[in-house]
Amino acid sequence: MTVTLAATWRPRGELPRLKRLLPWLRQVYENIVLTLPPISPPGVVETLRELAQDQRLRVVETEQWSHGRYRALAGGLDFPAANIQYADLDRLLRWAETQPQELRQAMSAARQSDCLIFGRTPAAYGSHPQALYQTERLSNRVVSQFLGQPMDVSAGAKAFSYEAAEFLVTHTIPGHPFGVDAEWPILLQRAGFQVDYLEVDGLDWESADRYQERAASSDGQAQAAREYDRNPEHWQARLVVAQEIVEWALASASRSLPPRREISGGRQT
């Protein structure tokens, strides 16, 4: 069974690392879809298009960046893979660089699930700034109430069967990039798909890697996290993110859905 990677990427100096890791990623994923903002740093799109000559890598420049996650998932459906992994590319690059074997094992688990949410182990979660740690704890608790078990839904990585991804693209609209952390799993569960959960170490804090040649060390992460927390604007921004996730959790739990289809073994038939 094959897996397509559907990723969003707002470039912040990761291009050299992507070029270095791309051969390895091509071994893990049959195809790769990358969605980018309307305006990217000079040379990024051109380099990606050169790398995409074998058609296994597709580059999509979005007209509105708030549509990036939806467009990535929809783009994944253009390939005949059995499963699609959504990921924030900066997080995925760190995962591939620091925990490659764990990422391979996670993809094996993804092939067995309609919806597999990748959460962070306590160690991975603890590497984040408090501005993220405290606000995401609140939104995670709300979403977990609807899903019926404790989950970290905001780690920027989820995997879907082709049928589950098709359901989401059909029954959702773009424009709320953080809200999908709640919307996607809640709607799938309500539609009868099985929602599973797996904690991993490789989704520790990625932002300390920006404009670096390699993934930051734990000491580098800790220093960057302290600096991040000193800025009150970061706290305000993360509160806005948590609010969007909570609002979409509530909306997704109550919105009308089409009649349920027959479900067999957790998959639509």
Side-chain angles (χ1 to χ4, degrees), residues 48-170:
L48 288 177
R49 296 203 186 283
E50 292 176 2
L51 296 172
Q53 293 180 0
D54 64 356
Q55 306 302 313
R56 291 181 56 201
L57 171 64
R58 179 176 300 174
V59 181
V60 179
E61 295 179 85
T62 59
E63 295 181 0
Q64 298 183 58
W65 186 226
S66 62
H67 293 193
R69 287 184 166 184
Y70 179 93
R71 291 286 303 278
L73 193 62
L77 294 174
D78 291 338
F79 297 100
N83 297 83
I84 299 170
Q85 183 195 355
Y86 168 78
D88 300 338
L89 186 67
D90 52 354
R91 282 193 174 276
L92 185 80
L93 291 178
R94 182 175 181 85
W95 195 358
E97 190 170 347
T98 63
Q99 299 282 347
Q101 185 58 33
E102 181 187 65
L103 179 54
R104 283 188 179 275
Q105 293 171 350
M107 289 307 94
S108 295
R111 296 184 182 99
Q112 312 302 318
S113 179
D114 282 317
C115 173
L116 181 58
I117 297 174
F118 297 106
R120 293 160 286 195
T121 61
Y125 210 153
S127 68
H128 292 66
Q130 287 296 304
L132 279 73
Y133 185 90
Q134 299 296 345
T135 55
E136 290 180 355
R137 283 180 62 194
L138 297 174
S139 54
N140 280 337
R141 286 179 64 182
V142 172
V143 178
S144 295
Q145 286 292 319
F146 289 109
L147 296 177
Q149 62 175 305
M151 291 188 185
D152 167 26
V153 300
S154 299
K158 300 172 178 64
F160 308 99
S161 66
Y162 189 96
E163 295 86 354
E166 189 175 43
F167 177 90
L168 291 176
V169 169
T170 301

Side-chain angles (χ1 to χ4, degrees), residues 196-208:
D196 301 309
Y197 182 62
L198 177 66
E199 288 187 347
V200 297
D201 288 311
L203 290 172
D204 55 339
W205 192 44
E206 81 292 350
S207 295

